[in-house]
Amino acid sequence: MVILASADLHGDKDIYEWLVGAAISAEPDVMVLAGDLLGVSTASGTIEEAQQMNAYEILKIINQIDLCVLYLMGNDDAIELEPNGDSMRSINGVRIEIGDLNFVGYQYSLPFMGGIFEKSEDAIRNDLVSLFSLVDDHTVFVTHSPAYGTLDTGVFGLPAGSQAIGELIEHRKPLLHIHGHIHEEFGIWGRHFNVAAAGHKRAILIDTYTMDYQILYDESD
């Protein structure tokens, strides 16, 4: 299976348009969006109202392609995305079987901006108890937050990942882990893929059969 993965698009319509073009060219089986999907496209109204308008705009862009899109929200998202079709699905807290693989997701990260998709480490650990049995060695585990100590160097050079997410990965050993959140750590470490676009036209194409990957980017960006 080939996965096109990105995160931290922050509602940037140009990046979404580029990502759709990349999907058309690469022809992946699945697109994964690992949180921080929305931004503020207008200065009027509340943040929630502005993100609702932005969601409407980006859904129109994503709906240009006939592709299974699995997504999570992130700590900078102030609302839950509400797609209007069956091809785009949230994987937060559920397991979705596609072919011989399954996708399991978790969208909460540690407190950072005071957002609705943030929880304490203890609360995250409690949530993940129910996901342990869903994750196996055929799982693509998708989170917004990185695992503690892996592609998670944040402000002041300190680790910003979740220990509980790292514990689940260590014990259940999913096939691979896709996340975002830490903009400066875009890249790959072992089976961990930080796919944060973070203002750039970039994503990672992953072949789950060979574990080969390709970084896609706009050379003019």
Side-chain angles (χ1 to χ4, degrees), residues 105-177:
Y106 184 74
Q107 64 193 13
Y108 292 91
S109 53
L110 295 171
F112 182 62
M113 299 289 291
I116 63 173
F117 299 111
E118 298 176 1
K119 290 188 177 184
S120 69
E121 188 74 84
D122 285 344
I124 290 174
R125 183 171 286 107
N126 288 337
D127 287 347
L128 293 180
V129 169
S130 65
L131 298 188
F132 260 65
S133 63
L134 302 183
V135 176
D136 57 36
D137 60 2
H138 285 76
T139 298
V140 177
F141 187 44
V142 184
T143 63
H144 181 57
S145 169
Y148 181 85
T150 305
L151 301 175
D152 74 328
T153 303
V155 180
F156 306 121
L158 298 174
S162 165
Q163 293 180 355
I165 288 174
E167 291 163 5
L168 184 149
I169 292 170
E170 180 181 357
H171 285 91
R172 301 302 297 169
K173 295 180 171 49
L175 178 67
L176 58 92
H177 176 215

